[in-house]
Amino acid sequence: MDIYALHELLALNRALVSDTWNFFLTVHLAIFGIIYISTGAIRLYERVALLLAYGGFLYINFRAQKDNYDEQGSLVEAINAEGGSPIAMAGSDWIVAYLPQIYLCAAIVGAIIILSTNQNRQR
């Protein structure tokens, strides 16, 4: 594969990384927004169902983002092997190193918000 095709793939991968982060943020805004504007108290079984769905989303999104960053690393290595010099994503190394911690923190904060919001409202 020539260097131009590798750079094209790298650009597409970077767009995919960005889209995955945008999806991560959009889902969080939607979930927390729905909980916040909910007019009545959310029952415990509804919270458990929401937590399960949220946990599933986090796992799938984490695996997708991990694969995206792994693919980016492979493309950068392939470009280097061809003698090119890819412009690496600025600061993406720390994101890859802390990706599990980022998702774990999001899961903890998300679970706290899901479990504690609207508990004192009347139905």
Side-chain angles (χ1 to χ4, degrees), residues 22-38 42 50 54 57 113-114 118:
N22 285 334
F23 185 60
F24 177 81
L25 294 174
T26 302
V27 167
H28 280 84
L29 290 174
I31 289 173
F32 301 149
I34 289 169
I35 290 171
Y36 182 74
I37 63 172
S38 176
I42 299 171
L50 188 56
Y54 179 61
F57 159 75
I113 291 172
I114 289 170
N118 294 335

Side-chain angles (χ1 to χ4, degrees), residues 1-99:
M1 189 175 286
D2 67 345
I3 235 166
Y4 175 77
L6 289 170
H7 275 284
E8 184 80 20
L9 288 173
L10 185 60
L12 291 172
N13 181 263
R14 288 178 178 172
L16 186 58
V17 166
S18 177
D19 289 346
T20 306
W21 279 121
N22 285 334
F23 185 60
F24 177 81
L25 294 174
T26 302
V27 167
H28 280 84
L29 290 174
I31 289 173
F32 301 149
I34 289 169
I35 290 171
Y36 182 74
I37 63 172
S38 176
T39 57
I42 299 171
R43 294 185 179 113
L44 180 61
Y45 70 87
E46 295 169 330
R47 290 175 192 273
V48 170
L50 188 56
L51 275 174
L52 290 174
Y54 179 61
F57 159 75
L58 280 178
Y59 177 75
I60 291 169
N61 193 269
F62 170 76
R63 295 301 313 160
Q65 197 65 292
K66 178 108 174 66
D67 289 345
N68 293 341
Y69 280 113
D70 289 346
E71 181 66 20
Q72 176 182 309
S74 298
L75 289 169
V76 168
E77 287 175 12
I79 291 171
N80 285 335
E82 291 289 323
S85 58
I87 301 172
M89 271 184 143
S92 67
D93 290 341
W94 77 268
I95 294 173
V96 174
Y98 290 105
L99 201 59

